[in-house]
Amino acid sequence: MGTNLTNKSLACLQLGRTIKQKILRRMSNNNSQKSTINVIGSNNDAKVNQYNISIYANDVLSIPNEIREGIVDALENELVHSELNIFLCYPNKLQDKHFDSCIKNLKTELIKIDAVVYEGGGKQSLPETESLYTHIAELDFIKKKCDSIIIFVLDELTLSQITLISYYKVTKDIKKLDLIVIFNDKIKNLDKFFSLGVIQYCDDNSIKIFDITDIENEKIENIIRRIRNKKLISKDKGLLGG
């Protein structure tokens, strides 16, 4: 085995040494943490992973920036193995060049982070779905494969999608799935059934809502950052998940 270390290996090694030093120091203190685990019943298997890490601000700041950046890079690129699957919904017919440009720019940015983009609204056949009904197939895909949904709610079709998908997500308690809704003033003011119904429903259930004026070209990074952060902490597939 060679003696040369890559930047990622060096970063992980430094992180491991720092954590080990702090754990040993904390274990020697009177207020060290103890855990007791009881498994009741026969033929039961229990697997417990516990990490007690106490790294004070001064110690963290003592780590060189290059090492800290290497640690972040190692965590993101080596420990997150699953694909980033995005379900993108928007009107089949876009009559506004601004909306069309916004959607195209978003697709470009998603590709840059190696996201796999699937399009809803019957625009393509979705993998791992069996239903002949398009709206049911979309729900099957969402449950089995999707990490984030982005819906441009700009017409009756996308209003129908957000009504169905948001209700499905909330009632089925699909926590790992992130839902991002983008709307315009025309839709918001179309009817109280929507403004006080589905849009308020999304807001009340922690579904992220953007006004399309807030995500012009220079603001698309807000969506990209949210998608990446949600993936890192998602319950089932992310770095900090199970």
Side-chain angles (χ1 to χ4, degrees), residues 33-236:
Q33 182 176 342
K34 296 181 179 179
S35 299
T36 301
I37 301 171
N38 296 319
V39 180
I40 301 175
S42 62
N43 299 322
N44 287 332
D45 294 327
K47 180 180 180 181
V48 179
N49 295 320
Q50 179 171 321
Y51 303 91
N52 298 327
I53 302 171
S54 176
I55 302 178
Y56 300 102
N58 290 336
D59 297 310
V60 174
L61 293 176
S62 68
I63 302 175
N65 287 335
E66 182 179 354
I67 298 297
R68 278 186 282 171
E69 292 173 1
I71 291 171
V72 172
D73 183 62
L75 291 175
E76 287 193 355
N77 293 297
E78 294 187 6
L79 301 182
V80 180
H81 301 295
S82 56
E83 289 182 344
L84 180 58
N85 296 300
I86 307 299
F87 190 52
L88 179 61
C89 303
Y90 57 91
N92 288 334
K93 295 182 179 179
L94 289 174
Q95 300 179 354
D96 190 303
K97 291 183 178 180
H98 172 70
F99 296 157
D100 187 40
S101 175
C102 185
I103 292 170
K104 287 181 178 178
N105 289 332
L106 177 59
K107 287 183 181 179
T108 299
E109 295 303 315
L110 288 171
I111 291 173
K112 287 181 181 179
I113 62 171
D114 297 323
V116 181
V117 179
Y118 299 91
E119 298 191 359
K123 297 180 181 66
Q124 70 176 100
S125 297
L126 299 172
E128 301 181 26
T129 58
E130 299 177 357
S131 178
L132 297 176
Y133 302 105
T134 302
H135 68 302
I136 300 299
E138 288 188 354
L139 297 182
D140 288 343
F141 172 78
I142 287 167
K143 184 176 182 180
K144 294 178 180 178
K145 195 173 181 69
C146 195
D147 295 298
S148 293
I149 300 175
I150 306 173
I151 302 183
F152 284 81
V153 184
L154 304 175
D155 65 355
E156 288 78 4
L157 168 64
T158 46
L159 274 171
S160 174
Q161 284 180 306
I162 187 57
T163 301
L164 177 63
I165 292 174
S166 62
Y167 182 75
Y168 180 75
K169 168 180 165 55
V170 174
T171 57
K172 297 297 183 181
D173 195 26
I174 305 177
K175 295 180 179 179
K176 79 178 184 66
L177 174 68
D178 190 33
L179 180 52
I180 300 172
V181 179
I182 303 162
F183 66 92
N184 59 10
D185 288 338
K186 179 181 178 181
I187 289 296
K188 183 178 180 180
N189 300 322
L190 180 64
D191 194 286
K192 288 186 177 180
F193 178 82
F194 300 113
S195 62
L196 299 180
V198 64
I199 294 177
Q200 188 62 50
Y201 178 81
C202 290
D203 190 43
D204 289 344
N205 287 280
S206 302
I207 295 170
K208 184 63 178 178
I209 300 177
F210 287 100
D211 190 301
I212 197 165
T213 58
D214 296 333
I215 57 161
E216 296 174 350
N217 295 347
E218 66 274 13
K219 298 296 183 181
I220 285 179
E221 66 266 18
N222 292 340
I223 295 178
I224 301 299
R225 182 167 57 251
R226 178 181 177 87
I227 290 172
R228 288 175 63 87
N229 289 342
K230 284 290 184 178
K231 178 64 174 179
L232 287 174
I233 62 174
S234 66
K235 179 180 178 182
D236 294 330

